[in-house]
């Protein structure tokens, strides 16, 4: 037995234990014959740093993995990083620029070499930070979405989807980033509200009979207008439908068409249609019969004006940046008398989340996956229950998105990533194959040029549940660990990653990728606001770990993870759970100082002492409750149940009750209970529990110990109710003393009246504990005289004479004043909360604070009135 230091120091033990776990291979012990349990980590970007969302996601996974490992399962937590196409290319380009080098000054191959060099030197930051949090991943088999084996899987999937007609090249609108000159996904688009303008324009009829009024926030796009739409039921425009308009700048003749996209209640009810530069207009254009190849395009990849296919854009505008063109277009229509007015307005503008550039809907040739076809099995899997979604409320979102899914654009105009395995001959014919040699054979050895685009990173990460296990090879790992048991994911990537994994897994493996999809909320600040650098309210988990330890942070995140809700992270909660760790540390030191060591058995010891019989039963109930809550992914219930059991039941009551009477039986029971606590707490607080476990000689480290097996036979029908009664009596007397201002050192006489025979027997058995814990001087069943406090527990009344201990009259006055003040504030807050105007119009955080204040004042008032009642 090694003596525990007086002070709990998280930093020292965290570094020591993680290194030992990893070096000894304890994250992946040899258990090939056991029941498998598998989770794949959502691969963080190789450029990334640990943020608080990662910390939540990883904590929730590690709780399940450590729990499964303790249950003796073959627990595999697949770990790796994503190559993060745009993010990584941007980082490396920035590094090169600092050396005076541009990407375009070198070959693609040379740039890719630079990226691999960067990854080798700087790409491991996020994985080192995951280790600091305690993530017990299978680091010996760490994967990367661009490693050789995974890249082979990506190529095979692309080629197979193409040959099955589920992947094709098409001309459609995409989110185009003019700075990166690449298509980007919806997830990489950040919509910001900015001060803009609404330009109201007049489009003249070709025959000179009048005008149609339209409005736009992007007047430069009018250079590619192809129609003006009105609602089919809008009586104002019945005679206009089918007529032609003469475009105010290009002179292009465009038709007036009908489409339900036009809203009669909005503005004039007429809307200009620019299919090549607006997502809604693209759909309107298709319904109007415009083919994608006919839709006009007036911008190049850098966002500069180019000549449209019909050659009608004025030469003075060619080559202008889109925002310069906006100014010039407005000047031109104003000069021609077609500008009615300009209105200042807040507008929603899409920006690239990394480049900061305003995103342009742009018509271009890209590769697409037939997502609608792949989505059908994913819909059926959730509907049938083959995939369980927790919380179930997210099933509606799942169905809504997949049932209305659009073709998935999977090509990106970058150099870093999986280059698309498609080659073109001089005539533009495409040959899709897993290698250039195979494409050459298909092309009859004609000269070929490879597609320069790369695949969207979400395309490769969608293969994560099976690509990381060796697919397309039929490996033992794939056979044992697919499907995975559960996926832990933030709800914000349910579309971009979760649904696509389901689509690809079901298609290529013929089976769901995981049995359960658990979706957690976001981590917000203490006021419930979304964290952002601009608000200055972000929380660095590494700073919290430095300050309070990884265990405290992990326990905080688990305790606050309530299904279907976001987390309002208050640093005081982390501090509170650091205090919890210290409480456990001190409890272990108490046990050690009383000769309580390691338990010699997995089963509960035999016990005669009622307090020992009680704590054994309480421990069994704690294990049962924990098993149930973990099975239901109730992290908050799991953590809070453990917290209450350890802090209150074990530390505050059991250890206090056994003080001064630690015999051999009590040593055996206390050792067994403490061991069960360390095992149960280990998934949540791995570092402190392993350190305390190792303070005694053990056959194995805690990380690979055995999970408790609750035996309901250990529940004691006599001991449980009796010790519960003792706790209620002591708690009642303590509360009365505190409320009435009795000095802590004062010992009081205790008179018991109306007690049944059973109560008298219990008092006799536990008189010593009652005297010590409630600071009682004497126990009597005679009537008390004079002013006294009264505590009622079950049928008996416990009377505490207070004459000469406190000024009873003054105490009554104090309590009455305090009660009235609390009631006044309670009623004022109730009136405020009962006012619909306040509840509906005030900020949510103000309403929540008022409710919390009301609950606090109501509790105070009740407490003061109860204290007055005790004085009679």
């Amino acid at each position: 037995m090694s003596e525990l230091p007086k002070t709990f120091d998280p930093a020292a033990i965290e570094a020591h234990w993680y290194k030992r776990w990893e070096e000894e291979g304890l994250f992946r012990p040899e258990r090939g014959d056991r029941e498998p349990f598998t989770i794949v980590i959502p691969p963080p970007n190789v450029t990334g740093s640990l943020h608080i969302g990662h910390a939540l996601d990883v904590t929730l996974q590690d709780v399940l993995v450590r729990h499964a490992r303790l249950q003796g399962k073959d627990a595999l937590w697949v770990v790796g990083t994503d190559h993060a196409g745009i993010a990584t290319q941007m980082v490396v380009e920035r590094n090169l620029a600092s050396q005076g080098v541009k990407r375009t000054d070198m070959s693609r191959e040379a740039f890719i070499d630079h990226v691999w060099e960067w990854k080798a030197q700087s790409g491991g930051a996020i994985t080192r930070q995951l280790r600091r949090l305690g993530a017990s991943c299978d680091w010996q088999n760490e994967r990367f979405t661009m490693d050789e084996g995974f890249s082979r899987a990506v190529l095979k999937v692309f080629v197979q989807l193409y040959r099955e007609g589920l992947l094709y090249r098409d001309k459609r609108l995409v989110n185009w980033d003019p700075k990166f000159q690449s298509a980007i996904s919806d997830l990489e688009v950040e919509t910001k509200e900015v001060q803009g303008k609404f330009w109201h324009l007049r489009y003249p009829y070709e025959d000179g009979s009048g005008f149609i009024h339209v409005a736009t926030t992007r007047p430069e796009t009018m250079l590619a207008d192809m129609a003006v739409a009105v609602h089919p039921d809008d009586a104002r425009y019945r005679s206009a439908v089918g007529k032609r308009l003469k475009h105010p700048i290009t002179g292009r003749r465009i038709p007036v068409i009908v489409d339900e996209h036009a809203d009669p209640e909005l503005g004039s009810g007429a809307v200009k249609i620019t299919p090549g530069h607006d997502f809604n207009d693209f759909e309107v254009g298709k319904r109007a019969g415009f083919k994608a190849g006919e839709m006009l395009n007036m911008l190049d990849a850098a966002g500069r004006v180019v000549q449209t296919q019909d050659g009608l854009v004025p030469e003075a505008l060619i080559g202008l940046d889109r925002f310069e063109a906006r100014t010039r277009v407005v000047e031109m229509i104003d000069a021609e008398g077609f500008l009615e007015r300009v209105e200042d307005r807040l507008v929603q503008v899409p920006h690239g989340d990394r480049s900061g550039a305003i995103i342009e809907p742009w018509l271009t040739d890209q590769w697409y996956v037939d997502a609608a076809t792949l989505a059908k099995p994913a819909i059926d899997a959730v509907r049938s229950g083959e995939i369980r979604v927790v919380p179930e409320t997210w099933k509606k979102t799942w169905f809504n998105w997949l049932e209305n899914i659009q073709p998935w654009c999977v090509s990106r105009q970058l150099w870093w990533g999986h280059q698309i395995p498609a080659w073109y001959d001089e005539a533009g014919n495409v040959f899709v194959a897993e290698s250039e040699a195979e494409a050459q054979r298909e092309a009859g050895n004609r000269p070929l040029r490879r597609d320069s685009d790369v695949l969207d990173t979400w395309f490769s990460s969608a293969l994560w549940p099976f690509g990381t296990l060796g697919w397309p090879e039929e490996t033992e790992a794939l056979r044992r660990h697919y499907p995975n048991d559960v996926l832990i994911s933030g709800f914000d990537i349910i579309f971009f990653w979760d649904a696509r994994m389901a689509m690809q897994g079901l298609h290529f493996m013929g089976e769901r990728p995981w049995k359960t999809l658990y979706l957690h909320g976001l981590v917000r600040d203490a006021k419930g606001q979304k964290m952002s650098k601009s608000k200055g309210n972000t929380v660095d988990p590494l700073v919290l770990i430095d300050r309070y330890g990884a265990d405290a942070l992990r326990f905080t995140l688990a305790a606050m993870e309530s299904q279907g809700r976001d987390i309002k992270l208050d640093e005081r909660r982390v501090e509170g759970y650091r205090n919890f760790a210290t409480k456990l540390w001190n409890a272990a030191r108490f046990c050690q100082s009383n000769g309580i060591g390691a338990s010699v058995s997995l089963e509960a010891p035999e016990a005669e002492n009622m307090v020992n019989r009680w704590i054994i039963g309480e421990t069994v109930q704690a294990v049962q409750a924990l098993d149930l809550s973990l099975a239901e992914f109730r992290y908050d219930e799991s953590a809070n149940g453990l917290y209450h059991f350890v802090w209150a039941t074990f530390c505050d009551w059991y250890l206090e009750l056994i003080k001064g009477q630690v015999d051999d039986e009590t040593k055996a029971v206390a050792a067994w209970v403490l061991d069960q606590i360390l095992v149960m707490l280990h998934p949540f607080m791995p570092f402190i529990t392993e350190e305390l476990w190792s303070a005694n000689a053990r056959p194995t480290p805690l990380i690979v110990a055995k999970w408790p097996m609750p035996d309901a036979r250990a529940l004691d029908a006599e001991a449980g109710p009796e010790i519960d009664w003792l706790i209620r009596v002591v708690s009642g007397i303590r509360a009365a003393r505190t409320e009435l201002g009795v000095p802590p050192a004062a010992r009081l006489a205790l008179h018991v009246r109306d007690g049944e025979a059973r109560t008298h027997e219990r008092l006799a058995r536990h008189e010593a504990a009652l005297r010590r814990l409630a600071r009682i001087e004497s126990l009597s069943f005679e009537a008390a005289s004079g002013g006294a406090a009264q505590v009622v527990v079950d049928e008996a009344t416990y009377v505490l004479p207070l004459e000469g201990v406190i000024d009873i009259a003054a105490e009554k006055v104090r309590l009455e004043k305090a009660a009235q003040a609390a009631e006044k504030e309670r009623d004022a807050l109730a009136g405020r909360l009962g006012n619909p105007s306040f509840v509906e119009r005030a900020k949510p955080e103000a309403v929540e604070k008022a409710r919390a204040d009301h609950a606090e004042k109501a509790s105070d008032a009740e407490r003061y009135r109860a204290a007055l009642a005790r004085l009679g």
Side-chain angles (χ1 to χ4, degrees), residues 372-553:
T373 298
L374 292 178
K376 290 173 184 174
I379 294 169
D380 293 341
V382 170
R383 186 163 279 135
S384 69
E386 183 184 0
I387 293 176
R388 175 190 176 198
V389 178
V390 181
E392 284 202 350
T393 49
W394 285 108
K395 287 166 68 172
K396 183 178 179 182
T397 304
W398 179 275
F399 295 138
N400 185 57
W401 189 70
L402 287 175
E403 287 167 354
N404 297 283
I405 198 167
Q406 297 297 308
W408 173 18
C409 176
V410 296
S411 46
R412 299 290 182 266
Q413 290 63 53
L414 303 170
W415 280 3
W416 172 244
H418 296 103
Q419 192 170 355
I420 288 175
W423 286 262
Y424 304 91
D425 63 16
E426 292 178 352
N429 298 309
V430 64
F431 301 91
V432 173
E434 291 185 43
S435 67
E436 185 170 6
E438 186 182 345
Q440 284 281 0
R441 287 195 297 272
E442 290 183 15
N445 292 317
R446 293 196 296 275
L448 297 178
R449 168 186 59 83
R450 187 169 184 176
D451 196 313
S452 62
D453 290 353
V454 299
L455 284 164
D456 174 19
T457 53
W458 295 106
F459 183 90
S460 50
S461 62
L463 318 183
W464 198 244
F466 56 93
T468 53
L469 298 174
W471 188 90
E473 301 297 328
E474 290 290 335
T475 65
E476 178 65 11
L478 187 65
R479 185 188 68 78
R480 280 186 58 75
H481 293 284
Y482 188 94
N484 308 160
D485 284 84
V486 60
L487 177 74
I488 305 289
S489 168
F491 73 83
D492 51 337
I493 55 172
I494 185 174
F495 309 135
F496 304 104
W497 192 46
D498 306 342
R500 287 165 177 169
M501 275 190 289
M503 289 156 60
Q504 299 286 46
L506 286 160
H507 186 75
F508 286 95
M509 298 297 296
E511 194 173 359
R512 58 193 172 170
W514 5 260
K515 300 164 190 173
T516 300
L517 170 61
Y518 180 87
L519 297 161
H520 60 76
L522 301 176
V523 183
R524 299 180 178 272
D525 71 8
K527 296 179 180 177
Q529 295 183 344
K530 191 171 182 179
M531 292 185 184
S532 70
K533 290 180 181 178
S534 60
K535 290 180 181 175
N537 64 345
T538 56
V539 173
D540 184 343
L542 297 176
V543 171
L544 293 177
I545 290 173
D546 289 338
R547 198 170 290 161
Y548 305 108
D551 286 331
L553 175 60

Side-chain angles (χ1 to χ4, degrees), residues 55 67 80 164 266 269 274 363 388 497 532 552 588 659 671 745 769 800 815 818:
H67 177 235
E164 292 172 348
L266 189 63
T274 316
L363 193 61
R388 175 190 176 198
W497 192 46
S532 70
K659 276 183 179 176
L800 298 162
L815 289 170

